[in-house]
Amino acid sequence: LHVGDDDGGMARQAPGPAGEDALAFLKGQGASASLASSAEALSQYGATPAGPNLPQVAVIMPKTPRRVIEALRAAEIRVVTELELAFEHASCMSIGVTGTNGKTTTSELIEAILAHSHRKTFRAGATGAPLCAALGQSRELDYLTLELDCFDLEYSANYRPSVGVLL
């Protein structure tokens, strides 16, 4: 998913729940955005792209091939994950849970503990809802409980959770 400027730049990546939620969020923010497969992105940006219609940002999903990511970076397009996009626009604190085993159980327990403590929370990420699905309600939330996989962490340069859990 590539996010373009308001002058006709476009957004591209393979559809899926996370891609569709990211697309809806971006369009709601006034961005010119659309979905496309990794193959389409590679064919469009894999050569020496130039011109005013290049996207400003590419929001990549977990199965985006490394060669597509490298082509986007070579085209000087900012590459971010859905995690990074959500983090940049969320209006509440986040709890990031990652590790080899136990992410889902731990994030579900954290969500239950917070709910029992009368804290408003939303669980999203690897096995929960897409991260961008929570952005519309993040002003009313106390926490986003995020289940993170290695892809999210590898390609997210600026994500800084309020609380981090490494299992």
Side-chain angles (χ1 to χ4, degrees):
L1 176 63
H2 311 281
V3 182
D5 56 23
D6 294 331
D7 298 321
M10 300 187 74
R12 308 215 176 262
Q13 175 59 35
E20 291 168 1
D21 281 342
L23 179 67
F25 170 74
L26 293 166
K27 284 188 173 187
Q29 297 294 307
S32 172
S34 65
L35 295 173
S37 69
S38 293
E40 291 171 314
L42 187 59
S43 70
Q44 186 166 359
Y45 306 116
T48 323
N53 291 333
L54 283 178
Q56 294 176 348
V57 177
V59 182
I60 57 173
M61 300 296 155
K63 294 187 179 179
T64 304
R66 186 173 299 275
R67 68 183 185 281
V68 172
I69 296 167
E70 291 169 357
L72 293 166
R73 287 182 173 156
E76 298 182 2
I77 298 169
R78 180 176 175 233
V79 175
V80 299
T81 63
E82 183 202 12
L83 169 65
E84 191 101 0
L85 178 68
F87 177 69
E88 289 175 359
H89 294 90
S91 300
C92 63
M93 294 187 286
S94 71
I95 300 171
V97 180
T98 192
T100 304
N101 294 311
K103 294 183 293 291
T104 301
T105 301
T106 303
S107 61
E108 288 172 346
L109 284 169
I110 291 169
E111 180 183 39
I113 290 167
L114 290 170
H116 184 74
S117 301
H118 307 289
R119 301 285 187 225
K120 295 177 187 171
T121 186
F122 185 91
R123 187 174 67 84
T127 61
L131 301 171
C132 287
L135 291 178
Q137 61 184 336
S138 69
R139 287 185 189 274
E140 291 83 39
L141 296 174
D142 296 310
Y143 297 95
L144 281 174
T145 304
L146 306 177
E147 184 178 332
L148 309 172
D149 58 25
C150 60
F151 173 85
D152 290 317
L153 299 173
E154 180 179 358
Y155 291 105
S156 295
N158 298 313
Y159 174 65
R160 302 291 183 268
S162 303
V163 176
V165 179
L166 176 60
L167 303 171

